[in-house]
């Protein structure tokens, strides 16, 4: 006679894998769509005050959801910023930042370590279907690609669109500012295979959108929740757009590119509405880092924030952030609370009924109270790294700069400040008036927070510095 215990054991053996450990069966388990742009500034959307870039779809998204005004990324350049989004941790914890090589390049041997738990892996464990479309930039070697980091499928370019530049392209900036497709031998991948090389960059925004719509439609037919990560290649230079968006914007080329992304957001939200899954789907929109100011009119704008990409001034790391989930995220709300891309991992896992990883330091916090309109964000601090060095710390409204440095191509003087520069970011969002002399107690509190943080960082192998051996 077979005991009931044995039967239970047998049925466990033959049942499909991965009935995930859902800690909270009552959790809403929404679909999640993360739309992530590249080098878009805080001031580049009309709902964030841009006078001549028209973004009606993003403006509608903001009107139907939340528009956050103090939302941060984990670093001011691509690779470490994307690491923070995917892992819920500052990139210093995974070796995904460097003061020598700021991002991964086509000759890089490293990538996001397998030991990291990505947002995709965490949601997949909770029963989500996962798809990625767009720019990855967390390692282009096979073991580091999205399909080896928790995504069921991938369509996109593995690193930045200005990389793999051919030696035969014009010298200097002109190849970037007057680009041709053929100058950049960037591959377009489907999962781990090269689909096209060089990628036709004029069509990327459109094709990313078509792939995303296809993914959402396919998932909506099943009964699994889904996670889609759509990481646009644009508006990172070299700027390209579809024929339909040539000369449509009063802002010129850069505006054309952003307006095509706005169109894309409209397509995604319309698809979700038409499928009748809007009330089960959380969509967020943000960018990886601030505008690349050294590209003049081809770079974006951080609005009233100081500086841009590559810098630990606010313009490098504060981004637009919109959250949309009709019926759940309050409509038309402006949220001045602090939030960060690192918070999406714990927040999404909790919304899905799971528990965030407890075997490692997470820098992300649970944003559900602020997102659902039930209470304040628990985030009260932010750490600003340049490469592997902590340059500044925010605590409440105060931000202390221990070190400042101009980004790429400008005055590169690294200046250590003792005492640190101190700004009140809510009274002085442009970081113009140093008030360190008036607030020694604030400086002391920030200093001890910085010391405590440094003590929590363990040394790990650097992923950005090793290069593929030339043969
Ligand atoms: Mg970027």
């Amino acid at each position: 006679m077979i005991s009931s215990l044995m039967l239970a054991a047998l049925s466990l053996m033959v049942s499909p894998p991965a009935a995930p450990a859902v800690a909270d069966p009552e959790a809403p388990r929404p679909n999640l769509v993360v739309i992530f742009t590249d080098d878009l500034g805080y001031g580049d959307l009309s709902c964030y005050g841009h006078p001549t870039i028209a973004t009606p779809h993003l403006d509608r998204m903001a009107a139907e959801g939340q528009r956050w005004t103090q939302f941060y990324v984990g670093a001011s350049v691509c690779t470490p910023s994307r690491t923070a989004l995917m892992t819920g941790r500052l990139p210093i914890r995974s070796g995904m930042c460097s003061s020598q090589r700021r991002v991964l390049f086509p000759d890089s041997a490293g990538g996001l370590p397998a030991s990291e738990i990505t947002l995709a892996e965490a949601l997949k464990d909770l029963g989500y279907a996962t798809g990625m479309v767009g720019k990855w930039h967390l390692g282009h070697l096979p073991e580091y690609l999205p399909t080896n980091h928790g995504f069921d499928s991938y369509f996109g370019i593995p690193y930045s669109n200005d990389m793999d530049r051919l030696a035969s392209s014009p010298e200097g900036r002109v190849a970037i500012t007057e680009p041709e497709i053929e100058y950049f031998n960037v591959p377009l991948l489907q999962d781990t295979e090269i689909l096209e090389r060089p990628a036709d960059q004029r069509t990327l925004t459109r094709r990313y959108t078509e792939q995303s719509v296809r993914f959402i439609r396919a998932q909506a037919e099943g009964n699994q929740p889904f996670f889609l990560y759509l990481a646009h290649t644009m508006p990172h230079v070299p700027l390209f757009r579809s024929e339909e968006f040539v000369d449509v914007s009063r802002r010129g080329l850069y505006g054309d590119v952003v307006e095509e992304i706005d169109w894309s957001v409209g397509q995604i939200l319309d698809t979700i509405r038409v499928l009748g899954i809007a009330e089960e789907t959380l969509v967020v929109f943000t960018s990886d880092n601030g505008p690349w100011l050294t590209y003049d009119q081809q770079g974006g704008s951080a609005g009233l924030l100081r500086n841009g990409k590559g810098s630990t001034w606010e313009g490098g790391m504060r981004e637009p952030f919109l959250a949309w989930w009709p019926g759940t995220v309050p409509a038309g709300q402006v949220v001045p609370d602090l939030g960060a891309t690192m918070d999406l991992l714990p927040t999404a896992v909790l919304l899905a009924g799971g528990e965030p990883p407890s075997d490692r330091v997470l820098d992300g916090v649970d944003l559900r109270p602020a997102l659902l309109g039930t209470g304040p964000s628990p985030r009260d601090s932010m750490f600003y790294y340049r490469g592997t060095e902590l340059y500044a710390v925010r605590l409440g409204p105060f931000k202390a700069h221990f070190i400042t440095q101009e980004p790429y191509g400008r005055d590169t003087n690294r200046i250590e400040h003792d005492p640190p520069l101190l700004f009140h970011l809510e009274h002085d969002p442009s970081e113009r008036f140093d008030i360190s002399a008036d607030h020694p107690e604030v400086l002391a509190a920030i200093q001890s927070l910085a010391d405590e943080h440094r003590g929590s960082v363990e040394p790990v192998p650097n992923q950005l510095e090793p290069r593929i051996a030339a043969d």
Side-chain angles (χ1 to χ4, degrees), residues 321-342:
F321 179 80
L322 304 178
W324 182 91
W325 182 3
T328 302
V329 166
Q333 200 176 46
V334 177
V335 182
D337 296 27
L338 300 196
T341 50
M342 291 168 288

Side-chain angles (χ1 to χ4, degrees), residues 38-39 77-78 82 135 236 288-289 309:
D38 198 343
D39 295 4
V77 289
C78 293
R82 286 151 203 270
K135 171 175 162 180
H236 188 295
D288 67 335
N289 54 251
K309 175 176 180 170

Side-chain angles (χ1 to χ4, degrees), residues 307-392:
N307 221 304
K309 175 176 180 170
S311 136
T312 47
W313 297 101
E314 288 294 289
M317 291 179 60
R318 200 194 296 188
E319 285 297 324
F321 179 80
L322 304 178
W324 182 91
W325 182 3
T328 302
V329 166
Q333 200 176 46
V334 177
V335 182
D337 296 27
L338 300 196
T341 50
M342 291 168 288
D343 303 335
L344 291 177
L345 186 144
T347 303
V349 166
L350 288 161
L351 285 170
E355 286 292 338
S358 57
D359 63 341
R360 58 197 67 208
V361 177
L362 273 194
D363 297 292
V365 299
D366 175 13
L367 285 187
R368 284 180 303 170
L371 198 61
L372 308 183
T374 59
S377 162
R379 174 171 289 284
D380 65 350
S381 63
M382 186 62 210
F383 298 97
Y384 303 71
Y385 275 85
R386 180 185 169 108
T388 54
E389 261 189 306
L390 185 63
Y391 270 40

Side-chain angles (χ1 to χ4, degrees), residues 213-289:
V213 165
R214 209 169 295 147
F215 175 85
I216 294 169
R217 285 207 182 115
Q219 300 314 317
E221 285 168 14
N223 51 8
Q224 239 181 325
F226 65 81
F227 166 44
L228 170 66
Y229 173 37
L230 165 54
H232 283 288
T233 291
M234 299 292 145
H236 188 295
V237 293
L239 298 175
F240 289 98
R241 73 287 204 219
S242 306
E243 241 167 65
E244 294 78 7
F245 286 86
V246 172
D247 295 337
V248 298
S249 176
R250 298 177 81 105
R251 165 64 171 85
L253 172 59
Y254 184 86
D256 288 352
V257 170
V258 174
E259 291 184 18
E260 186 169 16
I261 290 173
D262 178 71
W263 163 83
S264 171
V265 170
Q267 296 292 301
I268 304 282
L269 296 187
D270 280 348
T271 301
I272 290 168
R273 288 187 190 101
V274 166
L275 289 169
I277 55 171
E279 295 189 350
E280 299 143 40
T281 305
L282 168 62
V283 183
V284 300
F285 176 93
T286 188
S287 181
D288 67 335
N289 54 251

Side-chain angles (χ1 to χ4, degrees), residues 447-462:
Q447 188 63 60
S448 79
L449 182 65
D451 292 343
E452 186 193 333
H453 166 72
R454 285 195 190 93
S456 78
V457 175
E458 289 173 14
V460 292
N462 192 283

